[in-house]
Amino acid sequence: MQAIILAGGKGTRLKPYTLDLPKSLVPIKETPILEIVIRQLKKSQFSNITLAVGHLAELIKSHFNNGEKFGVKIKYSAESKPLGTAGPLKLITDLNENFLVMNSDDLTDFNYKNFFEYHKKNKAIVTIGIFNKKVNIDLGVLEVGKKNEIIDYIEKPVYNFNVSMGIYAFNKKAIDYIPEDEYFDFPTLIKKLMKNNQKILSYQHNGYWLDIGRPEDYEKANEDFGKIF
């Protein structure tokens, strides 16, 4: 099975950890985030992996080489300019009929194999892994009416949102909706597919998931890694 891992970002929100390293090589308990992801994919029988690289690509290539030491086959697809999250997929010419796409910086116990089988069984053009995220608002939230009257006052509410995990299963037909050599993100692609009445499904994950986007997330990842993985 084939997986595309997006590893071209600069990781600006994760500074200072990304001053000298690409985000995907920042270590969790001495192991690069991307290496943890690749080992998890191998366990789920994804042995054909393409790394979509850009920023500091040579460091990533030097660490993973052809993937032999990890028991997988690794290829590289390099962007010459930033193409967003969906744009790099247009550069890859040897895509399978269905394939996995994911970020390189998520720590999760997600079952990639079950997710992929669900996608193929239901014949979606894209399936998105989703996670129910609790968001704490540490302020009093006011609801205001049309005449500026206060309708409600909620002190430090907690909201729940279904968020994208940055894990997708694609049918190759979705690539036709991505423009050539343009910056193009996943939300834009999904809306374009919806507008064209394409079948897009969600897949709920009820386990552990952490997007390592900020220094505090990175610290939490290191705290959780020994307990959960």
Side-chain angles (χ1 to χ4, degrees), residues 115-176:
F115 168 67
F116 197 61
E117 292 300 325
Y118 172 86
H119 164 77
K120 291 191 295 181
K121 178 181 178 181
N122 289 280
K123 298 180 180 179
I125 194 166
V126 176
T127 304
I128 305 173
I130 64 173
F131 183 80
N132 191 259
K133 176 75 172 178
K134 291 183 179 179
V135 178
N136 299 304
I137 307 297
D138 294 328
L139 301 166
V141 175
L142 299 174
E143 291 188 17
V144 181
K146 293 181 179 179
K147 296 182 179 181
N148 295 325
E149 71 274 21
I150 300 299
I151 297 174
D152 200 0
Y153 191 131
I154 309 168
E155 181 65 18
K156 298 181 180 180
V158 177
Y159 296 107
N160 291 278
F161 300 97
N162 283 320
V163 301
S164 169
M165 298 174 65
I167 301 172
Y168 308 83
F170 269 70
N171 182 276
K172 192 176 180 179
K173 293 177 183 177
I175 303 302
D176 294 338

Side-chain angles (χ1 to χ4, degrees), residues 6 79 81-90 170 174-193:
L6 305 174
E79 57 185 20
K81 64 179 182 181
L83 294 175
T85 48
L89 299 179
K90 196 74 172 182
F170 269 70
I175 303 302
D176 294 338
Y177 294 86
I178 301 175
E180 296 274 1
D181 199 35
E182 287 184 23
Y183 189 98
F184 203 70
D185 276 331
F186 280 129
T188 307
L189 173 60
I190 297 304
K191 289 177 183 178
K192 191 173 183 179
L193 292 171

Side-chain angles (χ1 to χ4, degrees), residues 10-221:
K10 294 183 178 180
T12 52
R13 292 185 301 153
L14 201 55
K15 288 181 179 179
Y17 302 109
T18 51
L19 289 174
D20 300 311
L21 284 175
K23 186 178 181 181
S24 56
L25 290 186
V26 172
I28 303 294
K29 296 291 185 182
E30 302 181 357
T31 302
I33 301 167
L34 181 52
E35 184 175 328
I36 294 170
V37 170
I38 288 174
R39 292 187 184 280
Q40 289 177 323
L41 287 174
K42 181 181 182 296
K43 288 182 180 179
S44 290
Q45 299 177 17
F46 287 87
S47 58
N48 178 9
I49 296 173
T50 297
L51 300 182
V53 296
H55 179 63
L56 298 177
E58 292 306 316
L59 291 179
I60 297 173
K61 291 178 181 179
S62 176
H63 184 85
F64 294 101
N65 203 348
N66 63 2
E68 184 178 359
K69 69 177 181 179
F70 304 103
V72 297
K73 182 180 180 181
I74 294 179
K75 296 180 180 179
Y76 298 88
S77 177
E79 57 185 20
S80 58
K81 64 179 182 181
L83 294 175
T85 48
L89 299 179
K90 196 74 172 182
L91 301 176
I92 303 171
T93 58
D94 60 344
L95 293 170
N96 291 351
E97 186 67 20
N98 290 284
F99 53 93
L100 188 76
V101 180
M102 63 179 297
N103 295 332
S104 62
D105 55 357
D106 291 336
L107 186 63
T108 180
D109 57 2
F110 192 72
N111 190 315
Y112 298 101
K113 183 179 179 182
N114 287 353
F115 168 67
F116 197 61
E117 292 300 325
Y118 172 86
H119 164 77
K120 291 191 295 181
K121 178 181 178 181
N122 289 280
K123 298 180 180 179
I125 194 166
V126 176
T127 304
I128 305 173
I130 64 173
F131 183 80
N132 191 259
K133 176 75 172 178
K134 291 183 179 179
V135 178
N136 299 304
I137 307 297
D138 294 328
L139 301 166
V141 175
L142 299 174
E143 291 188 17
V144 181
K146 293 181 179 179
K147 296 182 179 181
N148 295 325
E149 71 274 21
I150 300 299
I151 297 174
D152 200 0
Y153 191 131
I154 309 168
E155 181 65 18
K156 298 181 180 180
V158 177
Y159 296 107
N160 291 278
F161 300 97
N162 283 320
V163 301
S164 169
M165 298 174 65
I167 301 172
Y168 308 83
F170 269 70
N171 182 276
K172 192 176 180 179
K173 293 177 183 177
I175 303 302
D176 294 338
Y177 294 86
I178 301 175
E180 296 274 1
D181 199 35
E182 287 184 23
Y183 189 98
F184 203 70
D185 276 331
F186 280 129
T188 307
L189 173 60
I190 297 304
K191 289 177 183 178
K192 191 173 183 179
L193 292 171
M194 291 171 63
K195 186 177 180 180
N196 284 272
N197 298 314
Q198 295 296 321
K199 186 176 183 180
I200 305 165
L201 295 179
S202 65
Y203 183 92
Q204 185 79 45
H205 176 57
N206 296 314
Y208 181 89
W209 175 75
L210 178 65
D211 170 30
I212 307 172
R214 303 165 299 173
E216 53 264 40
D217 300 321
Y218 177 63
E219 293 169 8
K220 180 170 175 54

